Amino acid sequence: MSLHTPIYNLDQFPDVYIPSEDTFLFLDAIESDYLYLKNLQPSIAIEIGSGSGVIISALHQLFQKSCSYFATDINQQCCLASKLTSTLNNTHVECITMNLLHNFRKNMFDVILFNPPYVVTEPCELSGEGLNRSWAGGCNGTEITNELLQALPDLLSEKGACYIVLLKENKPLEIVKYMDALGFKSQMIMQRKIPGEHLFVYKFCRLDF
């Protein structure tokens, strides 16, 4: 199935990350894994740190009303932008201003999508709610990613899958070992080299599935 980039308009949202190469890699990875997702038959999906809302609205193209869609972001402007993107594409995404997924019930999600702040920065750059929160990842660029991965056993449904964008400097193989210890198998879905970055999209799901 061909996955089209959703329509978006960020003119009113200067503090929202504009879809870029990492966004398009993520879209391509989801499209390439369509058969797996189709067989998964998800009923609840969420994008963490939705930014423009392009990714979660694109997922809606695959499953339409057979799935419920949520988006969260710590930046309220991102939630408003995601809601606008949803409206522009005639999709329904529930957008919630919050950090990661701390307020949802246990093992709720069949699909979790996360293009995290992955750039290696000083830890102090993780503070605030502005544009820097979309890219500043702290030590190894994984401080936010690690927080999500640690909680993944309590977030994913038994059959669920989590898709995450990683940078080479994030040390993906170390993350794979960590996830194995948590009882998750890992699969690199796609990678792409762009000027200054080597990006990957990984899928994590429980070893029993």
Side-chain angles (χ1 to χ4, degrees):
M1 179 176 180
S2 179
L3 195 60
H4 302 290
T5 302
I7 302 166
Y8 63 92
N9 185 338
L10 301 180
D11 291 347
Q12 304 174 57
F13 308 107
D15 287 336
V16 175
Y17 182 71
I18 298 172
S20 300
E21 291 292 341
D22 52 340
T23 314
F24 304 130
L25 170 64
F26 209 178
L27 289 171
D28 290 344
I30 292 169
E31 179 181 357
S32 73
D33 215 33
Y34 168 66
L35 290 180
Y36 177 91
L37 287 165
K38 181 180 178 181
N39 291 331
L40 182 63
Q41 295 182 316
S43 58
I44 303 179
I46 192 162
E47 181 182 7
I48 304 169
S50 59
S52 66
V54 162
I55 300 298
I56 192 66
S57 286
L59 190 71
H60 196 289
Q61 296 178 21
L62 299 182
F63 301 108
Q64 300 297 323
K65 294 181 180 180
S66 66
C67 184
S68 297
Y69 305 88
F70 293 86
T72 70
D73 205 294
I74 196 169
N75 183 345
Q76 186 181 30
Q77 293 300 302
C78 291
C79 292
L80 295 173
S82 294
K83 191 63 180 178
L84 176 58
T85 298
S86 175
T87 300
L88 290 173
N89 292 277
N90 297 313
T91 64
H92 180 75
V93 178
E94 189 71 28
C95 303
I96 306 167
T97 304
M98 61 185 293
N99 184 30
L100 297 178
L101 300 178
H102 294 318
N103 298 330
F104 287 99
R105 63 178 172 82
K106 190 173 181 180
N107 303 124
M108 180 174 176
F109 299 103
D110 299 318
V111 177
I112 295 176
L113 307 172
F114 192 25
N115 183 2
Y118 55 66
V119 177
V120 179
T121 65
E122 294 296 327
C124 62
E125 295 187 56
L126 296 176
S127 61
E129 298 181 1
L131 188 58
N132 67 301
R133 291 302 301 267
S134 68
W135 51 263
C139 182
N140 293 325
T142 57
E143 291 195 29
I144 308 300
T145 299
N146 288 342
E147 187 176 349
L148 183 278
L149 293 177
Q150 290 166 11
L152 205 57
D154 292 328
L155 299 173
L156 272 183
S157 66
E158 288 301 311
K159 68 176 183 179
C162 176
Y163 295 80
I164 296 184
V165 177
L166 297 173
L167 186 67
K168 183 178 180 180
E169 286 78 5
N170 301 154
K171 303 179 181 179
L173 294 182
E174 291 187 11
I175 291 175
V176 167
K177 291 180 181 178
Y178 175 74
M179 295 307 294
D180 182 67
L182 284 184
F184 285 82
K185 56 186 174 184
S186 309
Q187 179 185 357
M188 188 191 57
I189 302 299
M190 191 171 287
Q191 62 177 309
R192 184 169 298 162
K193 291 183 179 179
I194 62 174
E197 293 186 335
H198 187 174
L199 296 164
F200 305 83
V201 176
Y202 272 81
K203 177 174 68 180
F204 301 103
C205 51
R206 298 180 193 275
L207 288 171
D208 295 337
F209 283 86

